[in-house]
Each structure stands twice: as structure tokens, then as C-alpha cells.
Amino acid sequence: MADTKRVRLTVAYDGTNYHGWQIQDNGITIESELNRCLSDLLHEDIQVIGASRTDSGVHALGNIAVFDTTARMPAEKVSYALNQRLPEDIRIQRSEEVASDWHPRYVTSRKTYEYRIYRGEFPMPVKRLYALFSYRTFDVAKMQQAAKYLVGEHDFKSFCQVGAQVDSTVRTLYSVEVEEQGSDLVIRVCGNGFLYNMVRIIAGTLMEVGQGKRAPEEMPSILDARNRSAAGPTAPAHGLMLMKYEFPEEL
Amino acid sequence: MADTKRVRLTVAYDGTNYHGWQIQDNGITIESELNRCLSDLLHEDIQVIGASRTDSGVHALGNIAVFDTTARMPAEKVSYALNQRLPEDIRIQRSEEVASDWHPRYVTSRKTYEYRIYRGEFPMPVKRLYALFSYRTFDVAKMQQAAKYLVGEHDFKSFCQVGAQVDSTVRTLYSVEVEEQGSDLVIRVCGNGFLYNMVRIIAGTLMEVGQGKRAPEEMPSILDARNRSAAGPTAPAHGLMLMKYEFPEEL
């Protein structure tokens, strides 16, 4: 019996043409494409374990997945070989061997997401897949003020889709930034974990603050409510990008 | 007989799914979509005249087109109504009435193009349609040095695709900038006119300078040669974006 090793992949993708990360019966997903191409490449049945099960339309510069294999191919070479087989909207950015018990969802990590809004009178075609279009004006200073209330350890139940099954809704956000980049407005959130739809609900709520529908000072009471209906709407998926994972224990 | 007016459109598009601007027999183009949707909207046979006939895969934030119509719809309203009918990868940014003899190719204009290169070890999926991927390193200072030789009035015959029919190959470039934007390298060119494939050949030549295949000091002799074979390769279409048209006489 050959030795088994665990390989970690840093996976970038354009989520436009996929039914999200997680395998499902009706539709191609990032996970199903990785399994198909890895099994083909390594001549064994490979099933990856992903870190973030992003929704349909959500993009990633660096999601994380691991898989076990007995194949002799060095872990560092998997990226090159796998990219030859994957569709062009999925590209491995890095592959490396990790400990056999390293699990992407049970290890301490820092995740960074960006939610992008393109502001203009009319939609801009080259932005349409990667930013939410809005013809409204936003009070950025008020959004920044509201964002500060979210930093730290909080119960984010108000920012979690109803029905999501989770043991605890307490998470820690290290930073929530609202930044203008020309016509784009970028909401950048970094934390130790995110509930289902959490970044999109934060984005939807901060956008309401920016439009004057809510005051920044309402944020503590939204958190205290521990009720999804207290927060703003879930912003559309295509404006969301998983930027990176960091693993502080590896530093 | 109703009055005829000339309407100018500022047209943005994602060129990925089109066979370029110009109408052709086999394939949908930006021009054919504009004609179809305008004729449908205004109930007359509309044929637009475009400023830049961009190639397949080239994008635009602001190409220019005009058309004549007897319809009563105010010129300023055309943008809103037309955007309801156009596919989502074409969007009118502005519509306005111009003089009946205003012609987008016979008026003095300044055009700005950007050629974008994404530098990384592997391609980044969300960039793949809007930037050329390169795993090479570029000496940006040398590219900037080479770019300076192109500024001013020159015979750009060496930077024009062979066989292009044109009266004169003399053009004036007001600026040629090479700028790093994180992982992206952007070549920004502003001029009074461009020959067929001129920006893509400039980009291909500057990239060769950046890779050490040519010295910046070779640029004058490339211009003097007045021969396409003296310059570098034509960089791929998808990295090119027509940024904007300016009409100095209107200021």
C-alpha cells in the first residue's frame, strides 16, 4: 500500500457559470469539477474537502481545499498538472503537502472577503459579473462609522440566513473597511469565520446606512436583536469575492 | 416629413461574446445589436456610424456612435430606452443630440486606450477576459523609457497591421504611460488617432522591451523602419480596452 499524503489547494474561480462550491445533483459546481479533474489526473477517486462553500455566482481569488492521495506526484506539481485539465474559469494558485490531520474547517484561520459595488448612471458591462451595480449615491463616511460597530467578537445571528444550521453564531471580525476605488465602493471584511450569507447581509445593511435608510448608531441594536429581520437585505451574490485565507498557526 | 436629428451614443461593452464592432455576415457584432435594438425601439431602419471598429474580444468603456432618426423621442432619453432592449454586455452610457453633420470619424478627437497585463504564476479566472496573463517578469522602468520615444507625431507604419488601407500612417500620441496597479501592468495610450492594431502592436513591442528582448533605445529605429516586421508581436485582443473619446472642439 502506497503512502497517503494530504494536499492543500488554493483555488481561484469565477463563480458565474457554477452552481456554487458544493456538489449537488442538478448542476456543475467548483467541487465537482475539482473532483472530476483530480480523479482523472491521479487515477483514483478523489473527493476534496473545501474551506468555504461559496454560493452560486460568488467568486474567489483563494478558497482552500484538501484531498488525500496515494499518487506519487509531488504536491507542488499538482497545481501545474491540474490547471491543464480544469476549465479556464477555475485555476489552482498553489498546491502543497499538509499534515494528514489538517482540516480546512477545523483549523484557525483568517478569511478576507470583499463586496464590490459599481456606482454609475448606467451599468458598466465589463463590471457586471464582479460588482453590484447601483445608481444611488452612498454616504461613505456613515458606512464607515456603521462598520466599526461590527468589529470584534459578537453574536452575528442577525446577520445569518434563517434556517442555517450552526452550533454558535458568535464570530470575531478583525476589520470591516469601506473604501472608495474610483467608481467602485468596496466593503472589505476580515474575520475568523462567517455565518451563511453573513458578508452579503453586512453589505446589504451597510448599503442601507449609506442610503440614509438607517443610522450608523442602529448597528448595536441590530446585533442585539439576534434576529435576521433586524438587519438589511442580503446583497446579490455576484458582488462578493473570497479574497484570501490565512492560517496564523503556520506563520 | 418629420424633422431628422442626429443622436450620439457613448457605448460601453464587453467584447467577449461579439465578433467585434463592425457588421459582418457570420456573427453578432456590437454594431448589428445597436442597429437591431434601435430599429426596434424607434420603428425605423437605423444604421449607426461608429467611431472605432474594435476587434473581436476588445472591450470599451466609451466607444462612440451616431445615427439619424425622425423619431420624436428626446435624444437624452434614448440611453434609458435602448438599455432596456440591449443585451446586458452592451450598455449606452450617454445619448445626446449633435449637429446633423457631426461625424465621429471626421471630427478632432482624443482617444484613450488601456492594455492590461495580469502578472502571476497562474492565470486568475476573474481577470481572464479583461487582461493578458503573463508569468514573466517585466522591467517596468525600461518599458516606461521605451514608451517615451512613441510620444509625439510619428509615422507609425511599423505599428500598423500589414494590408490595412489608410491614406496616411502619421499619427500623434499625446502620452504613453506604463503603470503598475498591484499585479496588473497597464499600458495607457492617448492619441489623436490609431492605425489598425496599433495599440496592440505597441503593447506587444513594449512587452518585449520589458522582457529584455529589445532595448528601449531601439524604438526610434523601429519607427524609422516604417515596416511592420520591425516591431514586436500584436498582443491578444482581450487585454485591450477603449477607455474614452474626448472632443476638444466641444470644450
PDB file of all heavy atoms in Angstrom, chain B residues 22-39:
ATOM      1  N   GLN B  22     -17.819  45.868 -36.113  1.00  0.00           N
ATOM      2  CA  GLN B  22     -18.370  46.059 -37.446  1.00  0.00           C
ATOM      3  C   GLN B  22     -19.279  44.909 -37.902  1.00  0.00           C
ATOM      4  O   GLN B  22     -18.958  43.736 -37.703  1.00  0.00           O
ATOM      5  CB  GLN B  22     -17.218  46.215 -38.442  1.00  0.00           C
ATOM      6  CG  GLN B  22     -17.651  46.800 -39.766  1.00  0.00           C
ATOM      7  CD  GLN B  22     -16.458  47.237 -40.591  1.00  0.00           C
ATOM      8  OE1 GLN B  22     -15.313  46.878 -40.287  1.00  0.00           O
ATOM      9  NE2 GLN B  22     -16.704  48.002 -41.632  1.00  0.00           N
ATOM     10  N   ILE B  23     -20.379  45.273 -38.526  1.00  0.00           N
ATOM     11  CA  ILE B  23     -21.321  44.300 -39.063  1.00  0.00           C
ATOM     12  C   ILE B  23     -20.624  43.323 -39.992  1.00  0.00           C
ATOM     13  O   ILE B  23     -19.769  43.715 -40.794  1.00  0.00           O
ATOM     14  CB  ILE B  23     -22.444  45.022 -39.838  1.00  0.00           C
ATOM     15  CG1 ILE B  23     -23.451  45.600 -38.848  1.00  0.00           C
ATOM     16  CG2 ILE B  23     -23.134  44.094 -40.843  1.00  0.00           C
ATOM     17  CD1 ILE B  23     -24.677  46.190 -39.504  1.00  0.00           C
ATOM     18  N   GLN B  24     -20.954  42.054 -39.847  1.00  0.00           N
ATOM     19  CA  GLN B  24     -20.419  41.050 -40.771  1.00  0.00           C
ATOM     20  C   GLN B  24     -21.454  39.947 -40.955  1.00  0.00           C
ATOM     21  O   GLN B  24     -22.439  39.876 -40.223  1.00  0.00           O
ATOM     22  CB  GLN B  24     -19.103  40.502 -40.251  1.00  0.00           C
ATOM     23  CG  GLN B  24     -19.159  39.980 -38.817  1.00  0.00           C
ATOM     24  CD  GLN B  24     -17.872  39.284 -38.424  1.00  0.00           C
ATOM     25  OE1 GLN B  24     -17.842  38.079 -38.264  1.00  0.00           O
ATOM     26  NE2 GLN B  24     -16.809  40.059 -38.304  1.00  0.00           N
ATOM     27  N   ASP B  25     -21.225  39.120 -41.949  1.00  0.00           N
ATOM     28  CA  ASP B  25     -22.227  38.120 -42.299  1.00  0.00           C
ATOM     29  C   ASP B  25     -22.359  37.024 -41.232  1.00  0.00           C
ATOM     30  O   ASP B  25     -23.446  36.587 -40.911  1.00  0.00           O
ATOM     31  CB  ASP B  25     -21.884  37.477 -43.655  1.00  0.00           C
ATOM     32  CG  ASP B  25     -22.063  38.475 -44.792  1.00  0.00           C
ATOM     33  OD1 ASP B  25     -22.837  39.432 -44.601  1.00  0.00           O
ATOM     34  OD2 ASP B  25     -21.428  38.303 -45.837  1.00  0.00           O
ATOM     35  N   ASN B  26     -21.224  36.571 -40.731  1.00  0.00           N
ATOM     36  CA  ASN B  26     -21.258  35.409 -39.844  1.00  0.00           C
ATOM     37  C   ASN B  26     -20.938  35.770 -38.400  1.00  0.00           C
ATOM     38  O   ASN B  26     -19.823  35.599 -37.940  1.00  0.00           O
ATOM     39  CB  ASN B  26     -20.257  34.350 -40.332  1.00  0.00           C
ATOM     40  CG  ASN B  26     -18.860  34.944 -40.482  1.00  0.00           C
ATOM     41  OD1 ASN B  26     -18.710  36.154 -40.633  1.00  0.00           O
ATOM     42  ND2 ASN B  26     -17.857  34.093 -40.403  1.00  0.00           N
ATOM     43  N   GLY B  27     -21.909  36.292 -37.680  1.00  0.00           N
ATOM     44  CA  GLY B  27     -21.669  36.544 -36.277  1.00  0.00           C
ATOM     45  C   GLY B  27     -22.290  37.842 -35.817  1.00  0.00           C
ATOM     46  O   GLY B  27     -22.435  38.798 -36.590  1.00  0.00           O
ATOM     47  N   ILE B  28     -22.665  37.867 -34.545  1.00  0.00           N
ATOM     48  CA  ILE B  28     -23.264  39.058 -33.959  1.00  0.00           C
ATOM     49  C   ILE B  28     -22.161  40.055 -33.622  1.00  0.00           C
ATOM     50  O   ILE B  28     -21.105  39.683 -33.122  1.00  0.00           O
ATOM     51  CB  ILE B  28     -24.066  38.667 -32.698  1.00  0.00           C
ATOM     52  CG1 ILE B  28     -25.258  37.796 -33.099  1.00  0.00           C
ATOM     53  CG2 ILE B  28     -24.543  39.897 -31.949  1.00  0.00           C
ATOM     54  CD1 ILE B  28     -26.033  37.253 -31.918  1.00  0.00           C
ATOM     55  N   THR B  29     -22.396  41.318 -33.897  1.00  0.00           N
ATOM     56  CA  THR B  29     -21.425  42.372 -33.585  1.00  0.00           C
ATOM     57  C   THR B  29     -22.111  43.458 -32.763  1.00  0.00           C
ATOM     58  O   THR B  29     -23.340  43.491 -32.650  1.00  0.00           O
ATOM     59  CB  THR B  29     -20.844  43.000 -34.879  1.00  0.00           C
ATOM     60  OG1 THR B  29     -21.885  43.732 -35.545  1.00  0.00           O
ATOM     61  CG2 THR B  29     -20.298  41.922 -35.823  1.00  0.00           C
ATOM     62  N   ILE B  30     -21.290  44.347 -32.195  1.00  0.00           N
ATOM     63  CA  ILE B  30     -21.848  45.463 -31.426  1.00  0.00           C
ATOM     64  C   ILE B  30     -22.741  46.306 -32.353  1.00  0.00           C
ATOM     65  O   ILE B  30     -23.859  46.676 -31.995  1.00  0.00           O
ATOM     66  CB  ILE B  30     -20.722  46.342 -30.836  1.00  0.00           C
ATOM     67  CG1 ILE B  30     -19.676  45.508 -30.085  1.00  0.00           C
ATOM     68  CG2 ILE B  30     -21.306  47.429 -29.947  1.00  0.00           C
ATOM     69  CD1 ILE B  30     -20.163  44.792 -28.882  1.00  0.00           C
ATOM     70  N   GLU B  31     -22.219  46.601 -33.534  1.00  0.00           N
ATOM     71  CA  GLU B  31     -22.968  47.432 -34.485  1.00  0.00           C
ATOM     72  C   GLU B  31     -24.304  46.784 -34.853  1.00  0.00           C
ATOM     73  O   GLU B  31     -25.348  47.451 -34.886  1.00  0.00           O
ATOM     74  CB  GLU B  31     -22.105  47.637 -35.746  1.00  0.00           C
ATOM     75  CG  GLU B  31     -22.680  48.623 -36.727  1.00  0.00           C
ATOM     76  CD  GLU B  31     -21.775  48.823 -37.953  1.00  0.00           C
ATOM     77  OE1 GLU B  31     -20.848  48.000 -38.174  1.00  0.00           O
ATOM     78  OE2 GLU B  31     -22.005  49.800 -38.694  1.00  0.00           O
ATOM     79  N   SER B  32     -24.305  45.478 -35.105  1.00  0.00           N
ATOM     80  CA  SER B  32     -25.554  44.823 -35.507  1.00  0.00           C
ATOM     81  C   SER B  32     -26.567  44.812 -34.361  1.00  0.00           C
ATOM     82  O   SER B  32     -27.769  44.965 -34.586  1.00  0.00           O
ATOM     83  CB  SER B  32     -25.282  43.396 -36.015  1.00  0.00           C
ATOM     84  OG  SER B  32     -24.886  42.528 -34.977  1.00  0.00           O
ATOM     85  N   GLU B  33     -26.086  44.671 -33.130  1.00  0.00           N
ATOM     86  CA  GLU B  33     -27.004  44.704 -31.986  1.00  0.00           C
ATOM     87  C   GLU B  33     -27.586  46.103 -31.796  1.00  0.00           C
ATOM     88  O   GLU B  33     -28.774  46.257 -31.487  1.00  0.00           O
ATOM     89  CB  GLU B  33     -26.283  44.254 -30.708  1.00  0.00           C
ATOM     90  CG  GLU B  33     -26.022  42.763 -30.640  1.00  0.00           C
ATOM     91  CD  GLU B  33     -27.315  41.960 -30.600  1.00  0.00           C
ATOM     92  OE1 GLU B  33     -27.924  41.846 -29.530  1.00  0.00           O
ATOM     93  OE2 GLU B  33     -27.711  41.474 -31.684  1.00  0.00           O
ATOM     94  N   LEU B  34     -26.746  47.132 -31.962  1.00  0.00           N
ATOM     95  CA  LEU B  34     -27.253  48.507 -31.842  1.00  0.00           C
ATOM     96  C   LEU B  34     -28.296  48.787 -32.913  1.00  0.00           C
ATOM     97  O   LEU B  34     -29.374  49.321 -32.619  1.00  0.00           O
ATOM     98  CB  LEU B  34     -26.099  49.512 -31.960  1.00  0.00           C
ATOM     99  CG  LEU B  34     -25.146  49.594 -30.759  1.00  0.00           C
ATOM    100  CD1 LEU B  34     -23.954  50.493 -31.086  1.00  0.00           C
ATOM    101  CD2 LEU B  34     -25.868  50.113 -29.512  1.00  0.00           C
ATOM    102  N   ASN B  35     -28.004  48.398 -34.162  1.00  0.00           N
ATOM    103  CA  ASN B  35     -28.967  48.634 -35.250  1.00  0.00           C
ATOM    104  C   ASN B  35     -30.288  47.912 -34.993  1.00  0.00           C
ATOM    105  O   ASN B  35     -31.368  48.479 -35.179  1.00  0.00           O
ATOM    106  CB  ASN B  35     -28.373  48.158 -36.584  1.00  0.00           C
ATOM    107  CG  ASN B  35     -27.268  49.086 -37.085  1.00  0.00           C
ATOM    108  OD1 ASN B  35     -27.082  50.172 -36.546  1.00  0.00           O
ATOM    109  ND2 ASN B  35     -26.547  48.645 -38.096  1.00  0.00           N
ATOM    110  N   ARG B  36     -30.186  46.653 -34.555  1.00  0.00           N
ATOM    111  CA  ARG B  36     -31.387  45.859 -34.310  1.00  0.00           C
ATOM    112  C   ARG B  36     -32.247  46.484 -33.210  1.00  0.00           C
ATOM    113  O   ARG B  36     -33.457  46.689 -33.380  1.00  0.00           O
ATOM    114  CB  ARG B  36     -30.984  44.431 -33.914  1.00  0.00           C
ATOM    115  CG  ARG B  36     -32.140  43.499 -33.625  1.00  0.00           C
ATOM    116  CD  ARG B  36     -31.656  42.096 -33.253  1.00  0.00           C
ATOM    117  NE  ARG B  36     -30.912  42.032 -31.999  1.00  0.00           N
ATOM    118  CZ  ARG B  36     -31.478  42.022 -30.789  1.00  0.00           C
ATOM    119  NH1 ARG B  36     -32.787  42.078 -30.660  1.00  0.00           N
ATOM    120  NH2 ARG B  36     -30.722  41.954 -29.700  1.00  0.00           N
ATOM    121  N   CYS B  37     -31.609  46.833 -32.097  1.00  0.00           N
ATOM    122  CA  CYS B  37     -32.379  47.344 -30.957  1.00  0.00           C
ATOM    123  C   CYS B  37     -32.891  48.764 -31.211  1.00  0.00           C
ATOM    124  O   CYS B  37     -33.997  49.109 -30.787  1.00  0.00           O
ATOM    125  CB  CYS B  37     -31.537  47.280 -29.690  1.00  0.00           C
ATOM    126  SG  CYS B  37     -31.145  45.588 -29.190  1.00  0.00           S
ATOM    127  N   LEU B  38     -32.091  49.588 -31.903  1.00  0.00           N
ATOM    128  CA  LEU B  38     -32.544  50.946 -32.218  1.00  0.00           C
ATOM    129  C   LEU B  38     -33.706  50.928 -33.210  1.00  0.00           C
ATOM    130  O   LEU B  38     -34.680  51.676 -33.060  1.00  0.00           O
ATOM    131  CB  LEU B  38     -31.388  51.770 -32.802  1.00  0.00           C
ATOM    132  CG  LEU B  38     -30.448  52.441 -31.796  1.00  0.00           C
ATOM    133  CD1 LEU B  38     -29.203  52.965 -32.497  1.00  0.00           C
ATOM    134  CD2 LEU B  38     -31.163  53.575 -31.052  1.00  0.00           C
ATOM    135  N   SER B  39     -33.611  50.063 -34.224  1.00  0.00           N
ATOM    136  CA  SER B  39     -34.684  49.984 -35.220  1.00  0.00           C
ATOM    137  C   SER B  39     -35.977  49.531 -34.565  1.00  0.00           C
ATOM    138  O   SER B  39     -37.063  50.031 -34.867  1.00  0.00           O
ATOM    139  CB  SER B  39     -34.280  49.015 -36.339  1.00  0.00           C
ATOM    140  OG  SER B  39     -33.102  49.468 -36.976  1.00  0.00           O
TER     141      SER B  39
END
